[in-house]
Amino acid sequence: MSSYPEDRRPRRSRQPAAERSGRTPPNPAAWADLEPSFTGDDSVFSSRRSTRSSRPGRRRRRFLGYLLVAVLAFILGLGVGYAQGYFASGDIGREVTVVVPTGATLSSIASKLEAKGVVKHARAFVIRAESDGYATKFMPGTYTLHENEAYEQLVALLSRGVNPPTVKVSIPEGTTLKQASRLVAAGVKTISAADYVAVARDDPPPFHLGGYKPGTTLEGMLFPATYEVAPEAKARVFVDKQLEAFTANFAKVDMTRARKAKLTPYDVVIIASMIDREAQVPADRALVSAVVWNRLRKGMLLQFCSTVQYALGTTKPVLTYDDLKVDSPYNTYQHPGLPPAPISNPGLAALQAAAAPANVDYLYFVARNDGTGRHYFSTDYAQFLVDQEKAKANGQ
């Protein structure tokens, strides 16, 4: 415990350290003689010197920054304007035709477009098409475009593609190979009738069907339909299309009854070819088929006029007795059983009727000659003779 009152406690000297140490404090005036810029203590000196020295540099940097931004904006403006002009289409012009071959590159397509005036700059079109993801999406074909075609319209057309030009050939049911050859030659300029016959009859492509002997005529399997082929198609291409159509359609034929009757698929085609040459209306197909099946079952001669006409190579409205004596395996008045090959190219309806005849006992039929296209059917020869007289009367 201190013996001194609190207010009488010894106090620490407030004398400056320099005075206490015997040193003389620095004289600012003396420093002014040595350094004219000195006007105060170190902190003031440093601050004013920094301010004076930094302001001009900062202004220069700011000025250079503004100048750089202005230059960049100017260059960018020029670039945008140039790009707009580079990709611009202009007014839509006249129609032009551009052929894009299979395997063409984007650059070659662009060059063709530029040459026809569809685009102004091929390189610009390539750049934009690539950036938009069209580099490999343009389809081959012959396009009808316009000069200065709008970009969006142009890429839409090229990526969608165009259907190649084609020609159509219609072959009716029951048409013979020779008749088909003339129809094909008339529709496809690159196929002659002789070319078609050579492929379909003389040197046929490989084809498999139960009962058919490969390498023989394809008569019967040249399916009748409307075909669409390229204008420059060859005979082999056309025949292949017909065989494909036949295979697809024959798969729809129920062969259950034919197999039980020991008939091959080729036998069914032969019967169908006779049906399509004899029956003029759908209702008669299954009835004509029944006559064939019934005669075969009884071992009777088929005696179909259509097979004789095929042997003669011509269609005659009325056959003579001499015609019925023609020496040919297709003459069913002289040779028993089915002819050796089909006598026409039947359609699906005839094929189905050939495989599934009507459940009737008919053995004879004769055309009515009444304008309906129908036939009189009978089970005995006496009725057949009566029907013949009725048909003659109808035709008078």
Side-chain angles (χ1 to χ4, degrees), residues 41 71 106 131 146 149 158 174 188 193 214 219 230 260 279 385:
D41 60 19
V71 171
L106 178 59
S131 65
H146 295 84
E149 189 83 66
L158 292 174
V188 187
E219 182 93 72
K260 289 181 178 179
L385 294 178

Side-chain angles (χ1 to χ4, degrees), residues 159-180:
S159 58
R160 184 170 62 248
V162 294
N163 293 325
T166 58
V167 293
K168 292 183 179 181
V169 179
S170 295
I171 301 176
E173 297 175 350
T175 302
T176 67
L177 187 153
K178 287 186 176 180
Q179 290 171 335

Side-chain angles (χ1 to χ4, degrees), residues 108-181:
S108 65
I109 295 173
S111 298
K112 290 177 178 290
L113 296 175
E114 180 181 342
K116 291 297 183 75
V118 179
V119 300
K120 285 188 175 181
H121 306 285
R123 183 56 186 163
F125 180 76
V126 170
I127 293 172
R128 188 169 181 182
E130 285 181 338
S131 65
D132 291 342
Y134 289 106
T136 60
K137 293 185 178 180
F138 294 153
M139 306 294 291
T142 301
Y143 294 85
T144 299
L145 305 171
H146 295 84
E147 292 177 337
N148 299 321
E149 189 83 66
Y151 171 79
E152 290 77 11
Q153 174 73 7
L154 178 57
V155 294
L157 289 171
L158 292 174
S159 58
R160 184 170 62 248
V162 294
N163 293 325
T166 58
V167 293
K168 292 183 179 181
V169 179
S170 295
I171 301 176
E173 297 175 350
T175 302
T176 67
L177 187 153
K178 287 186 176 180
Q179 290 171 335
S181 72

Side-chain angles (χ1 to χ4, degrees), residues 192-242:
S192 67
D195 292 338
Y196 183 88
V197 171
V199 173
R201 187 190 67 188
D202 302 333
D203 187 21
F207 184 73
H208 300 284
L209 180 70
Y212 167 72
K213 182 180 179 181
T216 59
T217 178
L218 291 173
E219 182 93 72
M221 283 79 75
L222 303 170
F223 196 75
T226 297
Y227 295 92
E228 193 168 355
V229 297
E232 67 278 5
K234 300 300 182 183
R236 178 64 178 266
V237 172
F238 200 101
V239 169
D240 284 342
K241 283 182 172 291
Q242 290 183 283

